[in-house]
Amino acid sequence: MFRSLTGRNYRIWFAGALLSNVGGWMQSTAQNWVVLTELSDNNASAVGVTMALQFGPQLLLVPFSGAVADKFDRRKVLMVTQSLLMLCAAALGVLLVTGVAELWHVYGFALALGVINAFDATSRQAFVSDLVAGDQLSNAIALNSASFNSARLVGPAVAGILIAAVGSGWVFIINAVSFLAVLVALSFIRPAHRVPDTTQEREGQLAQLAAGFRYVRHRQDLLVIFLMVFVLGAFSMNFPIIASTMAVEFGRDATDYGLLYSMLAIGSLTGALLVARRPVPRMRAVIAAAGGIGVVSLVSAFMPSFWAFGGSFVFLGFSTATLLTTANGFVQTTAAPQVRGRVIALYIAVLMGGTPLGAPLVGAAADGLGARSTLVISALAGFVAFLVGAVWLVTARKLRFHRGVGWRLQITHAGRPGLGDDPREQVESLTAPLEVLRREAAPIPVESSVPQESPTVPLATGRIRLPGHVAKDDPEE
């Protein structure tokens, strides 16, 4: 489960990021509570607008964030972005402590946070591949998620206590100090030399972005994941709105609001650690987790008490972390190294880009229909994402369903059988790599869903001889 921690660079990064993530979750909790209860009159729409401003730049800056992650030294990029995030947190903290902060200040802070995070998140995700060997990348990605969710277990609870004890402004200032941990860690890390993508020196930003789009377009598995995370990111993962409005629904204060986040984190941490135990990420886990989000969200909508709701929140966190950690690992481990930064940028843009669309709508639903409507919307999104993945799995993998002994149902893979093969006798894994499922020459690497550890082979561009046709200028004829 912790095999990637054997590397020195990743150990340093993991420790620094864990401390910084705790501060980040403290700030996120305080930010949404301040907007909902201190700078507005329990206005969930204001929380939705804040989220839209914070995550919107992820989508708009895709042409630049992915290119930066692929072209420049990711360690230096992170040192710049982390320093800017620290200054932003300190500035808003001072405004809140001095009592001059207004709602538009938080809106501006959220927008600045979004612009910086557009570059930080992409480089941070891709930076992991610079720290570990290829066979440990999936585990390192899962442990990154575990670190993130471990911080969510502690940060919101601490933030709730601090808000009640000393005020929300000090939470932002403490978070600013926590950025020193990751900056110190980055200064000690010496990642292996990464061969830059020389094509970017000859291409403009739009051409680089187009290359990432072309790569993803030829990967149906990635397109399915992108569609699923977009739907869930827009309408299911609005936890700041869900947790804050449900805390108010049950008549609870900031401490209990932070406790809800911690209960969500218990499930998230468990899900991330279980994903870390798996050797490789699989599509079936992503699809099953999407269905789990739908079921748990629907159950949570009918919980009669605060503690019952908090208990269901644990399972919602488990399903969400399983989906995101597996999807993230699948995208990173199967993307070709030359375009990995751009593919990750597209993935993050799709995941976060749904928030500007969904968060204001979910916030408006909470204001107009009640807090529980946010969970019903989350359930519907989970079921839609599950159906998208399930339909693709059945059609693209050509699944066959057979009745076994009694009520037992056997699922086999049709694959590409040879002449005389009986598809019912095939028992390949449902989500085995495409090279295993296909009984012919290896496919074009760009369409592969197998973990990539080296640059893909260039596509053939030479002459193709047509049967029965002799070229006039062919020297061999």
Side-chain angles (χ1 to χ4, degrees), residues 152-225:
R152 180 158 62 179
L153 183 63
V154 178
V158 174
I161 295 173
L162 288 175
I163 292 172
V166 296
S168 55
W170 287 103
V171 176
F172 287 84
I173 293 176
I174 293 173
N175 176 53
V177 175
S178 75
F179 279 103
L180 295 175
V182 73
L183 289 173
V184 170
L186 287 169
S187 67
F188 281 99
I189 290 175
R190 294 293 179 268
H193 176 68
R194 178 169 60 94
V195 178
D197 184 3
T198 57
T199 61
Q200 295 197 56
E201 298 177 0
R202 303 187 301 271
E203 295 179 345
Q205 296 292 344
L206 292 179
Q208 295 169 29
L209 178 62
F213 273 115
R214 286 196 302 270
Y215 180 85
V216 173
R217 186 184 63 190
H218 287 88
R219 290 279 306 276
Q220 288 188 1
D221 49 354
L222 293 186
L223 289 175
V224 171
I225 284 183

Side-chain angles (χ1 to χ4, degrees), residues 13 21 133 156 180 214 286 298 303 418 421 433:
W13 168 254
N21 283 335
L180 295 175
R214 286 196 302 270
V286 178
L298 190 61
M303 289 293 103
D421 284 356

